[in-house]
Amino acid sequence: MNKLSDRINRLETSATLAMAAKGRELRAEGKNIISLSLGEPDFITPEFIKDAAIAAINDNYNKYTPVDGYDDLKQAIINKFKRDNNLNYDKSQIVVSTGAKQSLANVAMVCINPGDEVILPCPYWVSYKDIVKIAEGVPVEVPTTIETDFKMTPQQLEKAITPKTKMLWFSSPCNPSGMLYSKEELRALADVLQKHPDIIVVSDEIYEHINFTANGHASMAAFDDMYERTVTVNGVSKAFAMTGWRIGYIGAPSYIARACNKIQGQFTSGANCIAQRATIAALEAPVSKISFMIDTFKERRKLILDLLSDIPGFKCNAPQGAFYVFPDVSELYGKSFHGKTINNATDLSMYLLEEAEVATVTGEAFGDANCIRLSYAASEKEITQAIQQIKAALS
């Protein structure tokens, strides 16, 4: 007798976490696995942030925190939104959570009713689909291709909308493609949404500072006619190398923020006190304090693209942000290497793990069966060695 709920039995395991676990298992067996699978900066949290955390410990921060975050952290978030995104929020519109993943889960649970449709431009972050399904929503995938830089067009958005559509979720810069929507592209999508005023937008901007374009970052909520229907999700994990600190936050219409505060109060309550104090330091600092990491990611992007261009069957575009490449590898399907036939992206990822000893992630986990994701949040030495091993395994 299966004693677990249907809910958990329907839930997929996170493909990125599963690949990381498989890599650790092979390392335990003595294999020298190079991981290009996890979305995690390889930098150390900057000293000024760690100093703020140490000061908080010495100042005896150890009590339960307010469910929606410390008041002065919420003010720092308000100031950040105004400085970086020209968004004006008040404290009733801010909710701090234990990572942006919880922020997203909160929003799903308070906005989605059974049967509501949620549009997901493909590729999408690995957890979007299952978070929507846990909330009893229906994911509606909108396919894109490398030829369109993995961006959904206004025409595709219009076609995907039905009377059951409740929300649109997307990330920009995008995990896994690294592509981002310009202000003009967002405006074109917003124009479609003006014809459907009840649709709520979730704009995941966790990678906003890792942006290699000259035009900078654009936020959907910055349009006056989208502000009251957009939830802006962000956090400190990526740009500040704080993945383990687990702090995310939203800026949202106050009715959504109040609902997120309510559900978080029943599930986890407030986020870690020390991490919140450290986050104040991170958000109050000028972006120039982390520019060295962004510059390094840009150099690594060039390196990995140059190396991949020498591997037949890998079709790449140049990511505009984040720290991933998402090559189309469908040309390799049906081909055999060292006695192994590659039928799909999952086959290829597993083959590269076992034969090349390099961990990647199948594009099927992100809603795109033609691609795999490689992270360049690794040293130049590791990137170079990994791509050399991939090339050898495919020759």
Side-chain angles (χ1 to χ4, degrees), residues 61-362:
Y61 278 90
N62 69 311
K63 304 296 186 184
Y64 286 131
T65 61
V67 171
D68 54 352
Y70 283 127
D71 194 68
D72 49 352
L73 172 54
K74 292 170 71 174
Q75 185 61 53
I77 292 168
I78 289 168
N79 295 344
K80 172 261 174 292
F81 274 132
K82 179 62 178 176
R83 179 193 69 195
D84 298 339
N85 312 106
N86 197 30
L87 296 175
N88 294 299
Y89 292 111
D90 60 42
K91 290 176 184 176
S92 72
Q93 297 175 280
I94 305 297
V95 179
V96 179
S97 300
T98 304
K101 184 179 286 190
Q102 183 182 24
S103 299
L104 290 163
N106 285 345
V107 172
M109 294 299 288
V110 305
C111 290
I112 299 172
N113 282 315
D116 284 345
E117 293 179 352
V118 178
I119 296 173
L120 304 178
C122 302
Y124 46 75
W125 181 52
V126 63
S127 290
Y128 286 174
K129 183 176 180 179
D130 280 287
I131 290 173
V132 169
K133 289 166 71 174
I134 290 171
E136 300 186 71
V138 179
V140 176
E141 299 183 13
V142 178
T144 65
T145 66
I146 197 168
E147 285 76 21
T148 60
D149 283 332
F150 301 110
K151 298 180 189 181
M152 179 178 65
T153 66
Q155 293 76 19
Q156 287 180 301
L157 173 59
E158 182 71 74
K159 187 176 180 180
I161 293 172
T162 77
K164 294 182 179 180
T165 304
K166 182 67 173 289
M167 306 185 82
L168 162 65
W169 287 31
F170 69 94
S171 61
S172 180
C174 174
N175 174 5
S177 72
M179 303 311 296
L180 57 89
Y181 288 95
S182 68
K183 181 178 180 180
E184 293 73 23
E185 289 166 335
L186 288 178
R187 182 63 257 174
L189 297 178
D191 288 342
V192 173
L193 293 169
Q194 293 312 301
K195 295 179 279 185
H196 308 276
D198 293 330
I199 296 175
I200 299 168
V201 176
V202 170
S203 179
D204 181 350
E205 304 181 13
I206 192 76
Y207 292 93
E208 74 165 312
H209 291 310
I210 308 175
N211 181 332
F212 310 128
T213 70
N215 295 327
H217 181 76
S219 295
M220 180 67 87
F223 299 119
D224 289 343
D225 54 7
M226 292 302 299
Y227 176 82
E228 289 293 344
R229 53 193 293 200
T230 299
V231 179
T232 305
V233 180
N234 213 318
V236 292
S237 292
K238 311 300 183 179
F240 295 92
M242 294 176 68
T243 50
W245 297 74
R246 309 308 304 132
I247 295 291
Y249 55 86
I250 62 168
S254 57
Y255 76 96
I256 293 178
R258 287 195 303 270
C260 288
N261 183 39
K262 181 179 181 181
I263 197 166
Q264 185 166 295
Q266 294 291 4
F267 277 17
T268 62
S269 294
N272 176 276
C273 59
I274 305 304
Q276 288 198 52
R277 306 314 298 173
T279 298
I280 294 172
L283 295 181
E284 289 183 341
V287 177
S288 59
K289 296 272 278 188
I290 57 170
S291 61
F292 73 95
M293 289 189 275
I294 300 164
D295 292 342
T296 300
F297 283 134
K298 188 173 184 179
E299 292 168 3
R300 293 172 178 176
R301 178 188 66 155
K302 182 180 186 306
L303 172 64
I304 197 168
L305 288 173
D306 287 347
L307 292 169
L308 288 173
S309 69
D310 200 34
I311 302 179
F314 275 65
K315 182 179 181 181
C316 298
N317 63 345
Q320 298 170 308
F323 39 73
Y324 310 104
V325 287
F326 199 59
D328 185 318
V329 292
S330 57
E331 186 181 318
L332 298 174
Y333 298 171
K335 296 184 178 180
S336 297
F337 304 93
H338 303 276
K340 172 69 175 179
T341 300
I342 306 300
N343 294 310
N344 50 51
T346 300
D347 283 353
L348 180 59
S349 284
M350 291 307 301
Y351 173 74
L352 294 180
L353 180 64
E354 295 166 358
E355 183 70 24
E357 299 189 344
V358 177
T360 62
V361 185
T362 172

Side-chain angles (χ1 to χ4, degrees), residues 14-24 27 33-42 101 125-126 175 207 238 243 297 300 322-325 358-361 366 373-378:
S14 168
T16 52
L17 298 181
M19 182 59 78
K22 181 66 174 176
R24 288 193 296 270
R27 284 193 199 95
I33 303 297
I34 302 175
S35 179
L36 301 183
S37 64
L38 270 183
E40 181 169 42
D42 59 320
K101 184 179 286 190
W125 181 52
V126 63
N175 174 5
Y207 292 93
K238 311 300 183 179
T243 50
F297 283 134
R300 293 172 178 176
F323 39 73
Y324 310 104
V325 287
V358 177
T360 62
V361 185
F366 304 101
R373 190 191 77 175
L374 298 89
S375 168
Y376 50 90

